[in-house]
Amino acid sequence: MIRSDIKALAAYHVPDSSGMMKLDAMENPFSLPDGLRDPWRDVLAKVEINRYPDADMAELRGQIAAHAGVNADQILLGNGSDEIIQMILLAVCAGACVVPAPTFVMYDLISHWLKRPVASVPLSADFHLDADQFLQVCAREKAEVAFLACPNNPTGNLWPEATIRKIAEGFDGLLVIDEAYGPFSERTHTHLLAKNVMVLRTFSKLGWAGLRLGYLIGEAEQIAQMNKVRMPYNINALTQASASFLLDHFDVFEQQAAEIKEERERVMAALSAINVVTAFPSQTNFILLRVPDADAVFEALKRHGILVKNMNSARGLLANCLRITIGSKAENDAVLKALGEILI
Ligand SMILES: Cc1ncc(COP(=O)(O)O)c(C=O)c1O
């Protein structure tokens, strides 16, 4: 009954974090400010949950379009950007998907669900991406789609603009530039939008992970095609109402992102001062670091009540690497103190 390749897969594992300081999933550490809670509650109380949500979401798309500096018909909304990755891989012609390695796992995973072959292009030891090599693999595999996370997860770096531009201009298939960490990086890429170039974003890392809302920006004609594989009511009514309200207070979340970036630099400096740690420069809300024995450090951090992401099982460039989300100042202090005790 069930496909054998599906049977062979492991379900996406989310570790139990109860009672732990949760620094494994790139969430924003700040909860919604008290001043916004009551008016938000009033907005939610008015939502008619007996009705299906607005299927077209023209108003919300308009708000997001204004925020992104494009037109409403250039926006497609998804239940998290994960769902949009799935829509893209459903809509694009059969043919390989090309990704760098390592990168965000869902491009590969969803391609496999949909029986789409995946080819990966290894990054160099310092996580550099070679545009010529990437384009060669795209040509060799007759690729129809490619994803570039800019900045990249889990490495945290942002490839030069010239690299992204070269791939955008040299690739015939659809290039998706995933800006999940755009709010923490020095550059975004809407200036590269074209018939075959789309930009993917999410509100998850900006403090709304629980709402599940991502969006794709592209040319109106391409967005209209992708919209055909969108589930009719994919964004629930509570998320729509919340997002519409929160977008009117977006400065709050931008300020939080600014604080996270400041904390990232402070944590980076402190980690770099630990001899046995290699901390890789980051343009995201997390830092990838290499330690002498990642499995041991991961377990020791857990004993300190801190949950981070252990990347060691991926081996290769990620051997002995941990990915630590930037938390609140108190959380970051706790991580640095614990690492000091474990490693020094
Ligand atoms: C590069 C990248 N893209 C997309 C996502 C998915 O985000 P969401 O589905 O929460 O919008 C993530 C989540 O970690 C990510 O790292």
Side-chain angles (χ1 to χ4, degrees):
M1 235 186 326
I2 307 285
R3 272 164 42 186
S4 57
D5 58 325
I6 298 290
K7 280 192 191 164
L9 288 174
Y12 189 89
H13 175 63
V14 178
D16 180 16
S17 59
S18 32
M20 308 276 281
M21 194 178 286
K22 196 170 179 320
L23 298 176
D24 64 331
M26 286 80 86
E27 291 146 329
N28 174 334
F30 305 109
S31 51
L32 194 62
D34 285 344
L36 289 185
R37 258 177 205 278
D38 286 342
W40 176 50
R41 211 170 280 138
D42 294 343
V43 166
L44 291 183
K46 290 196 193 101
V47 174
E48 296 193 331
I49 57 163
N50 55 318
R51 301 288 174 198
Y52 281 107
D54 178 357
D56 180 49
M57 302 177 276
E59 239 180 86
L60 180 56
R61 283 189 295 109
Q63 267 181 293
I64 292 176
H67 165 77
V70 297
N71 298 324
D73 59 4
Q74 292 185 266
I75 298 283
L76 178 80
L77 300 183
N79 192 319
S81 46
D82 281 349
E83 192 197 30
I84 301 176
I85 296 168
Q86 184 170 351
M87 288 187 234
I88 293 167
L89 290 167
L90 272 168
V92 169
C93 296
C97 169
V98 176
V99 292
T103 192
F104 182 48
V105 291
M106 295 309 287
Y107 312 137
D108 183 83
L109 193 58
I110 299 174
S111 293
H112 278 106
W113 296 347
L114 298 174
K115 295 187 173 258
R116 183 184 290 278
V118 177
S120 54
V121 180
L123 299 178
S124 67
D126 60 355
F127 307 139
H128 172 80
L129 174 66
D130 184 325
D132 291 320
Q133 192 190 356
F134 196 87
L135 286 170
Q136 276 160 19
V137 173
C138 289
R140 187 190 71 207
E141 302 294 324
K142 297 187 176 59
E144 287 288 345
V145 59
F147 289 88
L148 291 178
C150 302
N152 191 36
N153 171 19
T155 57
N157 62 320
L158 176 66
W159 300 302
E161 207 257 1
T163 305
I164 312 302
R165 184 185 287 275
K166 191 168 193 183
I167 293 171
E169 289 171 357
F171 180 45
D172 296 334
L174 173 64
L175 174 67
V176 181
I177 303 175
D178 183 344
E179 294 187 342
Y181 303 96
F184 312 99
S185 87
E186 67 189 20
R187 190 180 75 233
T188 53
H189 302 84
T190 39
H191 60 286
L192 295 178
L193 286 175
K195 189 161 190 229
N196 72 322
V197 180
M198 296 178 127
V199 170
L200 180 61
R201 292 186 179 161
T202 178
F203 291 106
S204 293
K205 317 298 171 186
L206 267 174
W208 311 3
L211 294 180
R212 305 300 294 131
L213 186 64
Y215 61 102
L216 183 67
I217 313 174
E219 288 194 352
E221 195 192 317
Q222 304 296 76
I223 290 290
Q225 298 307 325
M226 294 285 173
N227 191 41
K228 296 178 184 172
V229 295
R230 183 177 63 82
M231 287 289 173
Y233 306 110
N234 64 329
I235 312 297
N236 76 70
L238 296 176
T239 294
Q240 290 190 30
S242 301
S244 188
F245 168 76
L246 294 172
L247 279 164
D248 286 338
H249 303 276
F250 210 67
D251 51 324
V252 170
F253 303 99
E254 279 166 347
Q255 177 53 38
Q256 292 177 349
E259 275 182 52
I260 290 167
K261 281 196 277 182
E262 271 178 37
E263 273 297 287
R264 177 187 72 203
E265 297 314 309
R266 184 178 76 86
V267 173
M268 185 72 194
L271 288 174
S272 305
I274 307 177
N275 264 340
V276 292
V277 170
T278 305
F280 296 98
S282 168
Q283 297 235 1
T284 66
N285 63 341
F286 62 83
I287 293 177
L288 184 77
L289 47 134
R290 186 169 292 126
V291 293
D293 182 347
D295 293 346
V297 175
F298 174 74
E299 291 302 329
L301 281 172
K302 278 213 305 205
R303 287 194 291 277
H304 280 81
I306 299 169
L307 183 66
V308 302
K309 179 83 175 174
N310 185 359
M311 310 300 304
N312 188 37
S313 61
R315 300 285 165 194
L317 291 182
L318 297 175
N320 278 325
C321 285
L322 300 172
R323 189 190 64 195
I324 304 186
T325 305
I326 301 298
S328 64
K329 185 171 185 314
E331 287 173 331
N332 301 331
D333 283 343
V335 170
L336 292 171
K337 183 164 180 280
L339 282 176
E341 285 170 23
I342 297 162
L343 289 168
I344 297 173

